[in-house]
Amino acid sequence: MDLSGHVAIVTGGATGIGRAIGMKMAEVGADIIVSDIDSDACQRTASEFAALGVRSAGIPANVTDPDAVGRMVAESIGQFGKIDVLVNNAGVAGAPGWYDHAVSREEDWSFTFGVNVKGMAIVTEAVLPHMKEAHAGKIVNLASVAGRQGRPTLPHYSATKAAVINYTQSLANELGRDNINVNAVCPGLLWTPMWGEVGAKYAVNDPTYEGLSAREVFDKMIENIIPLGREQTPEDIGDAIVFLVSDDAKNITGQSLNVDGGAFLN
Ligand code: NAD
């Protein structure tokens, strides 16, 4: 796989899965714009990528703020001249403190839809004119296996990820004639800070996991629902995305790829 000469924006790219996606693309030669709400972390991660010998810049933006996103995209074009790849990775599991509440609150619904769905659309709309002008582009959206099937503990989050899968299909239909591929990846179980919150919620609200630590919930869930019997890693997601944005995937669009050890067969 070779992405030399490609320019990619990764939102929420400073930490976790986003950082691993950027790292995997940089390892095969892509130039990476790390965009994140956390400005310091953005710069630190961009420096790590630049150390691999590619061009990289940390350009912060809150994906829910159209003005900030517009500035981020304009600065990206100013520094790099084009955008070949957009990875819409920024995401949240709920409003701050969501995991302490048995039932999703209004703020969990609005905050999570604001970042995971509307934020994704805001960034996509800002990048699309440049891809359309170039008559080329690859977009990958981070969904989740939670979007494949609703589950009891975090309905607000699951609903956003189902929306991401649907949004991916709409975009793929709309943008095919512009030679823009749009796909989604559905990560399964990855031990990241986000899963620390998810595990805490299950331990309080799901009798199967009651009283366990977040990590124990995570390990038990792997045992219970993953046929391959092992956790997935941020690097697994990065590897899948390197393929989806490469020329080898030129005839794949509108798809949502589960990277989940076989947990969901759809
Ligand atoms: P994380 O919380 O570790 O990282 C998310 C990143 O997004 C952070 O760097 C954060 O600063 C940034 N971010 C948050 N809100 C933002 C905003 N408004 N604007 C810009 N940046 C913002 O999460 P993660 O586990 O790395 O998850 C990454 C993506 O993968 C998310 O979309 C998540 O829903 C999805 N996902 C994660 C898992 C998992 O098991 N961790 C499973 C399925 C899907």
Side-chain angles (χ1 to χ4, degrees):
M1 224 64 85
D2 181 11
L3 296 180
S4 306
H6 289 64
V7 175
I9 294 178
V10 184
T11 69
T15 65
I17 295 174
R19 178 182 162 279
I21 294 166
M23 182 68 82
K24 286 286 180 180
M25 290 195 293
E27 281 171 1
V28 292
D31 296 331
I32 311 291
I33 294 137
V34 181
S35 191
D36 202 286
I37 199 169
D38 182 338
S39 172
D40 290 343
C42 253
Q43 310 305 339
R44 274 198 305 276
T45 303
S47 304
E48 286 181 71
F49 296 163
L52 296 174
V54 299
R55 295 174 70 211
S56 187
I59 309 181
N62 179 341
V63 296
T64 67
D65 178 346
D67 292 338
V69 168
R71 285 193 296 274
M72 180 273 286
V73 170
E75 204 179 322
S76 300
I77 291 288
Q79 284 193 42
F80 292 81
K82 61 173 184 164
I83 300 162
D84 301 297
V85 173
L86 169 64
V87 182
N88 280 312
N89 165 79
V92 292
W98 70 273
Y99 44 88
D100 285 334
H101 298 268
V103 176
S104 302
R105 302 159 298 169
E106 190 284 328
E107 61 259 49
D108 294 318
W109 286 96
S110 49
F111 186 73
T112 311
F113 264 88
V115 177
N116 297 5
V117 185
K118 282 171 69 183
M120 181 175 283
I122 288 168
V123 180
T124 303
E125 292 301 330
V127 167
L128 275 181
H130 302 284
M131 289 185 170
K132 283 182 176 174
E133 196 187 338
H135 195 64
K138 307 271 190 189
I139 298 174
V140 181
N141 298 326
L142 268 287
S144 167
V145 289
R148 292 294 197 187
Q149 189 183 312
R151 283 187 287 177
T153 51
L154 57 171
H156 61 276
Y157 176 79
S158 292
T160 66
K161 294 303 184 178
V164 169
I165 291 169
N166 190 281
Y167 177 58
T168 300
Q169 294 167 346
S170 297
L171 280 179
N173 268 322
E174 190 182 313
L175 297 171
R177 299 293 169 160
D178 292 297
N179 192 31
I180 298 170
N181 300 55
V182 190
N183 292 290
V185 169
C186 300
L189 294 180
L190 293 83
W191 183 248
T192 61
M194 183 182 278
W195 225 97
E197 294 180 357
V198 175
K201 176 82 186 276
Y202 271 98
V204 175
N205 290 290
D206 187 326
T208 316
Y209 302 103
E210 209 170 338
L212 301 181
S213 70
R215 179 70 213 199
E216 286 167 341
V217 172
F218 181 80
D219 290 338
K220 202 166 170 54
M221 205 172 271
I222 286 167
E223 199 181 306
N224 289 349
I225 69 168
I226 310 261
L228 282 174
R230 54 181 176 251
E231 66 191 270
Q232 294 83 60
T233 65
E235 289 71 26
D236 293 334
I237 309 306
D239 284 333
I241 290 178
V242 165
F243 167 65
L244 286 173
V245 304
S246 76
D247 209 40
D248 292 354
K250 63 179 176 301
N251 284 321
I252 299 176
T253 197
Q255 305 304 308
S256 294
L257 176 65
N258 296 343
V259 181
D260 68 347
F264 287 81
L265 302 176
N266 57 354

